[in-house]
Amino acid sequence: MAKPISFTLNGKQVSATADGTRMLAYVLREDLELTGTKVGCGQGLCGACTVLVDGEAVRSCSTSLASVAGKEVTTIEGLGLAEKLHPVQEAFLDHHAFQCGFCTPGMILSAYALLKKTPKPDRRQVAEALDGNLCRCGAHVRILAAVEAAGAKGGTR
Amino acid sequence: MNRRTFLQTTGAVGLFVSFPISLRSQESEKIPSEVPEYPKDFNAYLKIGPDGRVGCFVGKIEMGQGNMTALAMLAAEELNVSLDQVDMLMGDTDLCPWDGGTWGSLSIWQFGPVLRGAAAETKAVLVQMASEKLGIAAERLQVKDGVVSSLGDASRKVTYGELVQGKQIERHLKDVKVKPVAEFTLVGKEVPRKDGRLKVTGGAKYTADIVPEGTLHAAILRPPAHGAKLLSVDVSAAEKLPGVRVIQAGDLVAALHARSDQAREALGRIKATFQPSPSALSNGTIFEHLLKAAPPAKQLAAKGDLKASEAATIHKVEATYLDNYIAHAPMEPHAAVARWDKGKLTVWASTQAPFLLRSILTKALGLTARNVRVITPFVGGGFGGKGMAPQGVEAARLAKVAGCPVAVVWDRREEFFLDTFRPAGVVKVRAGLDQGGRIVTWEHHATGVGESEAETMYDIPHQRITSAGSWMGGNPAGMHPFGVGAWRAPAANSNVFAKESHMDVLAAKAGVDPVAFRLSHLKEPRMIVALETVEKAFGWTRKPGPTGRGFGVACANHRDTMVAAMAEVAVDKKTGVVKVKRVVLAQDMGVVVHPDGARQQVEGCVVMGLGYSLLEEIRFKNGQVLDENFDTYQLPRFSQMPTIETILIPNPNVPAQGGGEPAIVVMGALIANAIHDALGVRLLQMPMTPERIKQALKA
Ligand code: FES
Ligand code: FES
């Protein structure tokens, strides 16, 4: 059952000794102690647990550990540097695009994945890309503006 | 472990934002007041470190509403320190002064003055101490960024840190006045939120992120329906899984494992049989049931003589407005982590009321307040749904049996099942117009809803306002098939939906533009200003409705905050889908502490209001909650967002009011009125789903 599964996590090689059928969100949070990834629904329905796998935004609550073997996983902790935030994070900060902040890591990573593909999205494209990410606090209009602004400023660097 | 080391090792997991060691070291040995009132001694709220940093201790919690920033601004303003110098510590029952709970938009208007008073006295004491030290009269001193200096010679100065030297301030002064609004230099300014950096980097800790050494995660057995009693349970298959412990403590049956997902898997192997729930109610039969099951009505207001006024009444208009149960659905599910340490219990909990949870824990576990510490990390949304925090008791009980720390984090199904819903309700309004098109009679009867905002703000000579049953409890047993409770602006959403819908019905009957109709019945000057302000910003032109434009208006005086809103909608007649294109909202909330924070709250209210107006409804049958996740229970999404324009009407003459609730109360009627203006049909039940709209069009 539990054998070591290796992947790249935020630029570093890691290996998790766990059952490969376990979902990545729990391995990240509990085995690897990166709690920036949040679990809001556990069924791929809210986007709080979004991480990047090889640059694509995926729901880590519904992505098995085995499926990321050998791949590159990025969580919110891996996005910026301690001294310097990533431009998408900057934009969220500037626009106050969060309230309780629980959806924020997933929002930022979803936005990052969008900007990689579509560097200068318009509001409709942002809305479409983030439509599966829920925010109960209603920070939506801020988030839309932040992602648009991050795009206009040069996106993901 | 003495308090000092305890604080140093565990303080960082509460709502400490970059709290420096220098401040921690002066922690006193006594627990701040166990008495349920705000302490008088400013030392309970404020501590000055030797480096001049200000520790601000408050029993409120930060759940997104921005009070960490707004309260820090109030303290910094009165102390004349920079906002960056203030470190907030919130919601820790061992370190913070008592507080009644974070709800009802009370943080600013009720607690704000307490904190300001404490900070003003602290500053006055410090200036007196500086005056003695520098040998300069207090009137000849100024304070900036925590440095007290001579007005004539800025080089003669002393800092707060030097004055206090890391000690508790013993001196007190009486009757110190807070700053007049005109002298504010920080309050009312745009500042970055203090919780921002942590929240965009993933560094913000929520309860489920706190995992003390040796923690087991618990997955608790729940009945399939409310009222279903456990008959038998077989845990053998679950216990066979490696690393699993099953605990059965009375009604509490749980699978525990060092990993939460594996605890859930084990829970899935527990076989249990339940007696079916005795409840035969469903969302189809609930309104009829509520009218029968409600307690006797209470009269809230009465004026004039309804009977006698009949003679003057030309048109009588009566309607019944319906509201369903809705969920709080915060993105962060309820969570608690409990740890016992030599008879002392520490519980980290996602709660809006840490001191209430402390007293619930002391009772449930037979402890004294001294032996219970509740720490509240960041809370991922509450909206009234995290007042009681029963998961805290669950975690504490399980940890006691398990002999190790236990984390209880509800999954989404539990969140929907155990929520204390906004109650379903029925509001009947009956009103009469006279010859001249003025409202002469107004009767409002709310069932199940609650009292807030039941009364009308309009100038109507004959009225009677009654209410039967409430979200607050005190209802006859079995009135609601599950728990109900406060939901952001409790009762007001349902009452204002009825009242402001009915105002439009009357305006249409009178053949008068709905804005003009409201203005002719309003007395409160601040409300009139708000309505005229939004009218101008929106570009409303006055015409009797329905006009086909899809324009709606609604307003409310919510606890002395004036809200007037307008919306534009487009409705697809074939599909019944409503697209809200824009919302413009003017709000007079008195002094605004943090304008951008206030605007965020308004936007949040608008979005959450769109949810209850158009999408949200709990479906249930025989005690079973049929909505279990976000596939069937729909929250507003990005593609449904209107543009939102918020106008804060400056009003230095009214003390700062809360901003977390007022704007949400107008949303139901606002959307109903806009739909009526677009289609000429009146929706009497929320949410105004495509099906209900199509049905109304057919009728
Ligand atoms: S927690 Fe994974 S999508 Fe909601
Ligand atoms: S900020 Fe609270 S859920 Fe989005």
Side-chain angles (χ1 to χ4, degrees), chain A residues 32-113:
Chain A
L32 300 166
E33 295 180 12
L34 289 183
T35 55
T37 302
K38 303 297 177 216
V39 176
C41 72
Q43 291 186 6
L45 297 167
C46 77
C49 64
T50 303
V51 301
L52 304 176
V53 175
D54 288 347
E56 296 277 340
V58 306
R59 307 294 190 234
S60 65
C61 71
S62 322
T63 300
S64 73
L65 172 61
S67 75
V68 302
K71 299 200 174 158
E72 213 168 291
V73 176
T74 307
T75 69
I76 189 70
E77 290 91 345
L79 204 56
L81 303 166
E83 334 71 70
K84 195 169 163 24
L85 295 178
H86 186 274
V88 181
Q89 291 171 313
E90 281 295 355
F92 269 65
L93 205 51
D94 287 351
H95 287 80
H96 281 161
F98 55 85
Q99 288 184 27
C100 78
F102 200 78
C103 69
T104 311
M107 291 287 179
I108 290 177
L109 289 166
S110 299
Y112 177 96

Coordinates of all heavy atoms in Angstrom, one line a residue, chain A residues 32-113:
Chain A
L32 N 2.8 16.5 4.6 CA 3.8 17.4 4.2 C 3.7 18.8 4.9 O 4.5 19.7 4.7 CB 3.9 17.6 2.7 CG 4.1 16.3 1.9 CD1 3.8 16.4 0.5 CD2 5.5 15.8 2.2
E33 N 2.7 18.9 5.7 CA 2.5 20.1 6.6 C 2.4 21.4 5.8 O 2.9 22.4 6.3 CB 3.5 20.1 7.7 CG 3.3 18.9 8.6 CD 4.3 18.8 9.8 OE1 5.0 19.8 10.0 OE2 4.3 17.8 10.4
L34 N 1.9 21.4 4.6 CA 1.7 22.7 3.9 C 0.2 23.0 4.0 O -0.6 22.4 3.2 CB 2.1 22.6 2.5 CG 3.6 22.5 2.2 CD1 3.9 22.4 0.7 CD2 4.4 23.7 2.9
T35 N -0.2 23.8 4.9 CA -1.6 24.0 5.2 C -2.2 25.1 4.4 O -3.4 25.5 4.6 CB -1.9 24.2 6.7 OG1 -1.1 25.3 7.2 CG2 -1.5 23.0 7.5
G36 N -1.5 25.8 3.6 CA -2.0 26.9 2.7 C -3.1 26.3 1.8 O -4.1 27.1 1.5
T37 N -3.1 25.1 1.4 CA -4.1 24.5 0.6 C -5.3 24.2 1.5 O -5.1 23.5 2.5 CB -3.6 23.2 0.0 OG1 -2.4 23.5 -0.8 CG2 -4.6 22.5 -0.9
K38 N -6.5 24.6 1.1 CA -7.6 24.5 2.0 C -8.6 23.4 1.5 O -8.7 23.2 0.2 CB -8.4 25.8 2.1 CG -7.5 27.0 2.6 CD -7.1 26.7 4.0 CE -6.2 27.8 4.5 NZ -5.1 27.2 5.4
V39 N -9.4 22.8 2.3 CA -10.4 21.9 1.9 C -11.8 22.5 2.3 O -12.0 22.7 3.5 CB -10.2 20.5 2.6 CG1 -11.4 19.6 2.2 CG2 -8.9 19.9 2.1
G40 N -12.6 22.8 1.3 CA -13.9 23.4 1.5 C -15.0 22.5 1.3 O -16.1 22.6 1.9
C41 N -14.9 21.5 0.4 CA -16.0 20.7 0.0 C -15.6 19.2 -0.1 O -16.5 18.3 0.1 CB -16.7 21.1 -1.3 SG -15.7 20.7 -2.7
G42 N -14.4 19.0 -0.4 CA -13.9 17.6 -0.5 C -14.3 16.8 -1.7 O -14.0 15.7 -1.8
Q43 N -15.1 17.5 -2.6 CA -15.6 16.8 -3.7 C -15.4 17.5 -5.0 O -16.2 17.3 -6.0 CB -17.1 16.5 -3.5 CG -17.4 15.5 -2.4 CD -18.8 15.1 -2.3 OE1 -19.7 15.5 -3.1 NE2 -19.2 14.4 -1.3
G44 N -14.4 18.3 -5.1 CA -14.2 19.0 -6.4 C -15.2 20.0 -6.8 O -15.4 20.3 -7.9
L45 N -15.9 20.6 -5.8 CA -17.0 21.5 -6.1 C -16.8 22.9 -5.7 O -17.7 23.8 -5.9 CB -18.3 21.0 -5.4 CG -18.8 19.6 -5.9 CD1 -19.8 19.0 -4.9 CD2 -19.3 19.6 -7.3
C46 N -15.7 23.3 -5.0 CA -15.5 24.6 -4.5 C -14.2 25.3 -4.9 O -14.1 26.5 -4.9 CB -15.7 24.7 -3.0 SG -14.2 24.1 -2.1
G47 N -13.2 24.6 -5.3 CA -11.9 25.2 -5.7 C -11.0 25.6 -4.6 O -9.9 26.1 -4.9
A48 N -11.4 25.5 -3.4 CA -10.5 26.0 -2.3 C -9.2 25.2 -2.2 O -8.2 25.7 -1.8 CB -11.2 25.8 -0.9
C49 N -9.2 24.0 -2.7 CA -8.0 23.1 -2.6 C -7.1 23.2 -3.9 O -6.2 22.4 -4.1 CB -8.5 21.7 -2.4 SG -9.4 21.1 -3.9
T50 N -7.4 24.1 -4.8 CA -6.7 24.2 -6.0 C -5.2 24.3 -5.9 O -4.7 25.1 -5.1 CB -7.2 25.4 -6.9 OG1 -8.6 25.3 -7.0 CG2 -6.5 25.5 -8.2
V51 N -4.5 23.4 -6.6 CA -3.0 23.6 -6.7 C -2.7 23.4 -8.2 O -3.5 23.1 -9.0 CB -2.3 22.5 -5.9 CG1 -2.7 22.5 -4.4 CG2 -2.6 21.1 -6.4
L52 N -1.4 23.7 -8.5 CA -1.0 23.5 -9.9 C -0.2 22.2 -10.0 O 0.6 21.9 -9.2 CB 0.0 24.6 -10.3 CG -0.5 26.1 -10.1 CD1 0.6 27.1 -10.4 CD2 -1.8 26.3 -11.0
V53 N -0.6 21.4 -11.0 CA 0.1 20.2 -11.4 C 0.6 20.4 -12.8 O -0.2 20.6 -13.7 CB -0.8 18.9 -11.2 CG1 0.0 17.7 -11.7 CG2 -1.2 18.8 -9.8
D54 N 1.9 20.5 -12.9 CA 2.5 20.8 -14.2 C 1.9 22.1 -14.8 O 1.5 22.1 -16.0 CB 2.4 19.6 -15.2 CG 3.4 18.5 -14.8 OD1 4.3 18.7 -13.9 OD2 3.3 17.4 -15.3
G55 N 1.6 23.0 -14.0 CA 1.1 24.3 -14.4 C -0.4 24.4 -14.6 O -1.0 25.5 -14.8
E56 N -1.1 23.3 -14.5 CA -2.5 23.3 -14.7 C -3.2 23.4 -13.3 O -2.8 22.7 -12.3 CB -3.0 22.0 -15.3 CG -2.6 21.7 -16.7 CD -3.5 22.4 -17.7 OE1 -4.6 22.8 -17.4 OE2 -3.0 22.6 -18.9
A57 N -4.3 24.1 -13.2 CA -5.0 24.2 -11.9 C -5.8 22.9 -11.7 O -6.6 22.5 -12.6 CB -5.9 25.4 -11.9
V58 N -5.6 22.2 -10.7 CA -6.4 21.0 -10.4 C -6.9 21.0 -9.0 O -6.4 21.8 -8.1 CB -5.6 19.7 -10.5 CG1 -4.9 19.6 -11.9 CG2 -4.5 19.5 -9.4
R59 N -8.0 20.3 -8.7 CA -8.6 20.2 -7.4 C -7.9 19.1 -6.6 O -8.0 17.9 -6.9 CB -10.1 19.8 -7.5 CG -10.9 20.7 -8.4 CD -11.0 22.1 -7.9 NE -11.9 22.9 -8.6 CZ -11.6 24.1 -9.2 NH1 -10.4 24.6 -9.1 NH2 -12.6 24.8 -9.8
S60 N -7.1 19.5 -5.7 CA -6.3 18.5 -5.0 C -7.1 17.6 -4.1 O -6.6 16.5 -3.7 CB -5.1 19.2 -4.2 OG -5.7 19.9 -3.1
C61 N -8.3 17.9 -3.8 CA -9.1 17.0 -3.0 C -9.6 15.8 -3.8 O -10.1 14.8 -3.3 CB -10.3 17.7 -2.4 SG -11.6 18.2 -3.6
S62 N -9.5 16.0 -5.1 CA -10.0 14.9 -6.0 C -8.9 14.4 -7.0 O -9.2 13.9 -8.0 CB -11.2 15.4 -6.8 OG -12.0 16.2 -6.1
T63 N -7.6 14.7 -6.6 CA -6.5 14.3 -7.4 C -5.7 13.3 -6.5 O -5.3 13.7 -5.4 CB -5.6 15.5 -7.7 OG1 -6.4 16.4 -8.5 CG2 -4.4 15.1 -8.6
S64 N -5.5 12.1 -7.0 CA -4.8 11.1 -6.2 C -3.3 11.4 -6.1 O -2.7 12.0 -7.0 CB -5.0 9.7 -6.7 OG -4.3 9.5 -7.9
L65 N -2.7 11.0 -5.0 CA -1.3 11.2 -4.8 C -0.5 10.4 -6.0 O 0.4 11.0 -6.5 CB -0.9 10.6 -3.5 CG 0.6 10.5 -3.2 CD1 1.3 11.9 -3.2 CD2 0.8 9.9 -1.8
A66 N -1.0 9.2 -6.3 CA -0.3 8.5 -7.3 C -0.2 9.2 -8.6 O 0.8 9.1 -9.4 CB -0.9 7.1 -7.5
S67 N -1.3 10.0 -8.9 CA -1.3 10.6 -10.2 C -0.4 11.8 -10.4 O -0.1 12.3 -11.5 CB -2.8 11.1 -10.5 OG -3.0 12.3 -9.7
V68 N 0.2 12.2 -9.3 CA 1.2 13.3 -9.4 C 2.7 12.8 -9.4 O 3.6 13.6 -9.4 CB 1.0 14.5 -8.4 CG1 -0.4 15.0 -8.5 CG2 1.3 14.0 -7.0
A69 N 2.8 11.5 -9.3 CA 4.2 11.0 -9.3 C 5.0 11.5 -10.4 O 4.6 11.5 -11.6 CB 4.1 9.4 -9.3
G70 N 6.2 12.0 -10.1 CA 7.1 12.5 -11.2 C 6.7 13.9 -11.7 O 7.3 14.5 -12.6
K71 N 5.6 14.5 -11.2 CA 5.1 15.7 -11.7 C 5.5 16.9 -10.8 O 6.1 16.7 -9.8 CB 3.6 15.7 -11.9 CG 3.2 14.6 -12.9 CD 1.8 14.9 -13.4 CE 1.5 13.8 -14.5 NZ 0.1 13.7 -14.7
E72 N 5.2 18.1 -11.3 CA 5.6 19.3 -10.6 C 4.3 19.9 -9.9 O 3.4 20.3 -10.6 CB 6.1 20.3 -11.6 CG 7.2 21.2 -11.0 CD 7.9 21.9 -12.1 OE1 8.6 21.3 -12.9 OE2 7.7 23.2 -12.2
V73 N 4.3 19.9 -8.6 CA 3.2 20.4 -7.9 C 3.5 21.8 -7.3 O 4.6 21.9 -6.7 CB 2.7 19.5 -6.8 CG1 1.6 20.0 -6.0 CG2 2.3 18.1 -7.4
T74 N 2.7 22.8 -7.5 CA 2.9 24.1 -6.8 C 1.7 24.4 -6.0 O 0.6 24.3 -6.4 CB 3.1 25.2 -7.9 OG1 4.1 24.8 -8.8 CG2 3.5 26.5 -7.2
T75 N 2.0 24.8 -4.7 CA 0.9 25.2 -3.8 C 1.1 26.7 -3.5 O 2.1 27.3 -4.0 CB 1.0 24.5 -2.5 OG1 2.2 24.9 -1.8 CG2 1.0 23.0 -2.6
I76 N 0.2 27.3 -2.8 CA 0.3 28.7 -2.5 C 1.6 29.1 -1.9 O 2.2 30.1 -2.1 CB -0.9 29.2 -1.7 CG1 -1.0 30.7 -1.6 CG2 -0.9 28.6 -0.3 CD1 -1.3 31.4 -2.8
E77 N 2.2 28.2 -1.1 CA 3.4 28.4 -0.4 C 4.6 28.6 -1.4 O 5.6 29.1 -1.1 CB 3.8 27.3 0.6 CG 2.9 27.3 1.8 CD 1.7 26.4 1.7 OE1 1.3 26.0 0.6 OE2 1.0 26.1 2.7
G78 N 4.4 28.0 -2.6 CA 5.5 28.0 -3.5 C 5.4 29.1 -4.6 O 6.2 29.2 -5.5
L79 N 4.4 29.9 -4.4 CA 4.2 30.9 -5.5 C 5.1 32.1 -5.4 O 5.7 32.5 -6.3 CB 2.7 31.4 -5.5 CG 2.2 31.9 -6.8 CD1 2.4 30.9 -7.9 CD2 0.7 32.3 -6.7
G80 N 5.1 32.7 -4.3 CA 5.9 33.9 -4.1 C 7.2 33.6 -3.4 O 7.5 32.4 -3.0
L81 N 8.0 34.6 -3.2 CA 9.2 34.4 -2.4 C 8.9 35.1 -1.1 O 8.1 36.0 -1.0 CB 10.5 35.0 -3.0 CG 10.8 34.5 -4.4 CD1 11.8 35.4 -5.1 CD2 11.3 33.1 -4.3
A82 N 9.6 34.8 0.0 CA 9.4 35.4 1.3 C 9.4 36.9 1.2 O 8.5 37.6 1.7 CB 10.3 34.9 2.3
E83 N 10.4 37.4 0.5 CA 10.6 38.9 0.4 C 9.7 39.5 -0.6 O 9.4 40.7 -0.6 CB 12.0 39.3 0.2 CG 13.1 38.4 0.6 CD 13.3 37.1 -0.3 OE1 13.6 37.2 -1.4 OE2 12.9 36.0 0.3
K84 N 9.4 38.7 -1.7 CA 8.7 39.3 -2.8 C 7.5 38.5 -3.2 O 7.7 37.3 -3.5 CB 9.7 39.4 -4.0 CG 9.2 40.3 -5.0 CD 10.3 40.7 -6.1 CE 9.7 41.2 -7.3 NZ 8.4 41.9 -7.3
L85 N 6.4 39.1 -3.1 CA 5.2 38.3 -3.5 C 5.1 38.2 -5.0 O 5.7 39.0 -5.8 CB 3.9 39.1 -3.1 CG 3.7 39.3 -1.6 CD1 2.5 40.1 -1.3 CD2 3.6 37.9 -0.9
H86 N 4.4 37.2 -5.4 CA 4.2 37.0 -6.9 C 3.2 38.1 -7.3 O 2.3 38.6 -6.5 CB 3.5 35.6 -7.1 CG 3.4 35.3 -8.5 ND1 2.3 35.7 -9.2 CD2 4.2 34.7 -9.4 CE1 2.5 35.3 -10.5 NE2 3.6 34.7 -10.6
P87 N 3.3 38.6 -8.6 CA 2.4 39.7 -9.0 C 0.9 39.4 -8.8 O 0.2 40.3 -8.6 CB 2.7 39.8 -10.5 CG 4.1 39.2 -10.7 CD 4.3 38.2 -9.6
V88 N 0.5 38.1 -8.9 CA -0.9 37.8 -8.7 C -1.2 38.0 -7.2 O -2.3 38.6 -6.9 CB -1.2 36.4 -9.1 CG1 -2.7 36.1 -8.9 CG2 -0.9 36.1 -10.6
Q89 N -0.3 37.6 -6.4 CA -0.6 37.9 -4.9 C -0.6 39.4 -4.7 O -1.4 39.9 -3.9 CB 0.6 37.2 -4.1 CG 0.5 35.7 -4.1 CD 1.7 35.1 -3.5 OE1 2.9 35.5 -3.8 NE2 1.5 34.1 -2.6
E90 N 0.3 40.1 -5.3 CA 0.4 41.6 -5.1 C -1.0 42.2 -5.5 O -1.5 43.0 -4.8 CB 1.4 42.2 -6.1 CG 2.8 42.2 -5.6 CD 3.2 43.0 -4.4 OE1 2.3 43.7 -3.8 OE2 4.3 42.9 -3.9
A91 N -1.5 41.7 -6.7 CA -2.8 42.2 -7.2 C -3.9 41.9 -6.2 O -4.8 42.8 -5.9 CB -3.1 41.7 -8.5
F92 N -3.9 40.7 -5.6 CA -5.0 40.4 -4.6 C -4.8 41.3 -3.4 O -5.8 41.7 -2.9 CB -4.8 38.9 -4.2 CG -5.7 38.0 -5.1 CD1 -5.4 37.8 -6.4 CD2 -6.8 37.3 -4.5 CE1 -6.2 37.0 -7.2 CE2 -7.5 36.5 -5.3 CZ -7.3 36.3 -6.6
L93 N -3.6 41.6 -3.0 CA -3.4 42.4 -1.9 C -3.8 43.9 -2.2 O -4.6 44.5 -1.4 CB -1.9 42.4 -1.5 CG -1.4 42.7 -0.1 CD1 -2.2 41.8 0.9 CD2 0.1 42.4 0.0
D94 N -3.4 44.4 -3.3 CA -3.8 45.8 -3.7 C -5.3 46.0 -3.8 O -5.8 47.0 -3.5 CB -3.2 46.1 -5.1 CG -1.7 46.3 -5.0 OD1 -1.2 46.3 -3.9 OD2 -1.1 46.4 -6.1
H95 N -6.0 45.0 -4.3 CA -7.4 45.1 -4.5 C -8.2 44.7 -3.3 O -9.5 44.7 -3.4 CB -7.9 44.3 -5.8 CG -7.4 45.0 -7.0 ND1 -6.2 44.8 -7.5 CD2 -8.1 45.8 -7.9 CE1 -6.1 45.5 -8.7 NE2 -7.2 46.1 -8.9
H96 N -7.6 44.2 -2.3 CA -8.3 43.6 -1.1 C -9.2 42.6 -1.7 O -10.4 42.6 -1.3 CB -9.1 44.7 -0.3 CG -8.2 45.5 0.6 ND1 -8.5 46.7 1.1 CD2 -6.9 45.2 1.1 CE1 -7.5 47.1 1.9 NE2 -6.6 46.3 1.9
A97 N -8.7 41.7 -2.5 CA -9.5 40.7 -3.1 C -9.7 39.4 -2.3 O -9.6 38.3 -2.7 CB -8.9 40.3 -4.5
F98 N -10.0 39.7 -1.0 CA -10.3 38.6 -0.1 C -11.0 39.2 1.1 O -10.9 40.4 1.4 CB -8.9 38.0 0.4 CG -8.0 39.0 1.0 CD1 -8.2 39.4 2.3 CD2 -7.1 39.7 0.2 CE1 -7.4 40.4 2.9 CE2 -6.4 40.7 0.7 CZ -6.5 41.1 2.1
Q99 N -11.7 38.3 1.8 CA -12.2 38.7 3.1 C -11.7 37.7 4.2 O -10.7 37.9 4.8 CB -13.7 38.9 3.1 CG -14.2 40.1 2.3 CD -15.6 40.4 2.3 OE1 -16.4 40.0 3.2 NE2 -16.1 41.0 1.2
C100 N -12.5 36.6 4.3 CA -12.0 35.6 5.3 C -10.7 35.0 4.8 O -10.0 34.4 5.6 CB -13.1 34.6 5.6 SG -13.2 33.3 4.3
G101 N -10.5 34.9 3.5 CA -9.2 34.4 3.0 C -9.2 32.9 2.8 O -8.2 32.4 2.3
F102 N -10.3 32.2 3.1 CA -10.3 30.8 3.0 C -10.2 30.3 1.5 O -9.6 29.3 1.2 CB -11.5 30.2 3.7 CG -11.3 28.7 4.1 CD1 -10.5 28.4 5.2 CD2 -11.9 27.7 3.3 CE1 -10.3 27.1 5.6 CE2 -11.7 26.4 3.7 CZ -10.9 26.0 4.8
C103 N -10.9 31.0 0.6 CA -10.9 30.7 -0.8 C -9.6 31.2 -1.5 O -9.4 30.8 -2.6 CB -12.1 31.2 -1.5 SG -12.1 33.0 -1.6
T104 N -8.9 32.1 -0.8 CA -7.9 32.9 -1.5 C -6.7 32.0 -2.1 O -6.4 32.3 -3.3 CB -7.3 33.9 -0.5 OG1 -8.4 34.6 0.1 CG2 -6.5 34.9 -1.3
P105 N -6.2 31.1 -1.4 CA -5.1 30.3 -2.1 C -5.6 29.7 -3.4 O -4.9 29.7 -4.4 CB -4.7 29.3 -1.0 CG -5.1 29.9 0.3 CD -6.3 30.7 0.0
G106 N -6.7 29.1 -3.3 CA -7.3 28.4 -4.5 C -7.6 29.4 -5.6 O -7.4 29.2 -6.8
M107 N -8.1 30.6 -5.3 CA -8.3 31.7 -6.2 C -7.0 32.1 -6.9 O -7.0 32.3 -8.1 CB -9.0 32.9 -5.5 CG -10.4 32.7 -5.0 SD -11.6 32.6 -6.4 CE -13.1 32.4 -5.4
I108 N -6.0 32.3 -6.1 CA -4.8 32.8 -6.6 C -4.1 31.8 -7.6 O -3.7 32.2 -8.7 CB -3.8 33.2 -5.5 CG1 -4.3 34.5 -4.8 CG2 -2.4 33.4 -6.0 CD1 -3.5 34.9 -3.6
L109 N -4.2 30.6 -7.2 CA -3.6 29.5 -8.1 C -4.4 29.3 -9.3 O -3.8 29.1 -10.4 CB -3.4 28.2 -7.3 CG -2.3 28.3 -6.2 CD1 -2.3 27.2 -5.3 CD2 -0.9 28.4 -6.9
S110 N -5.7 29.4 -9.2 CA -6.5 29.3 -10.4 C -6.3 30.5 -11.4 O -6.2 30.3 -12.6 CB -8.0 29.3 -10.1 OG -8.3 28.2 -9.3
A111 N -6.1 31.7 -10.8 CA -5.8 32.9 -11.6 C -4.4 32.7 -12.2 O -4.3 33.1 -13.4 CB -5.8 34.1 -10.7
Y112 N -3.5 32.2 -11.5 CA -2.2 32.0 -12.0 C -2.2 31.1 -13.3 O -1.6 31.4 -14.3 CB -1.3 31.4 -10.9 CG 0.1 31.1 -11.4 CD1 1.2 32.0 -11.1 CD2 0.4 29.9 -12.0 CE1 2.5 31.7 -11.5 CE2 1.7 29.6 -12.4 CZ 2.7 30.5 -12.2 OH 4.0 30.2 -12.6
A113 N -2.9 30.0 -13.2 CA -3.0 29.1 -14.3 C -3.7 29.8 -15.5 O -3.2 29.6 -16.6 CB -3.8 27.9 -13.9

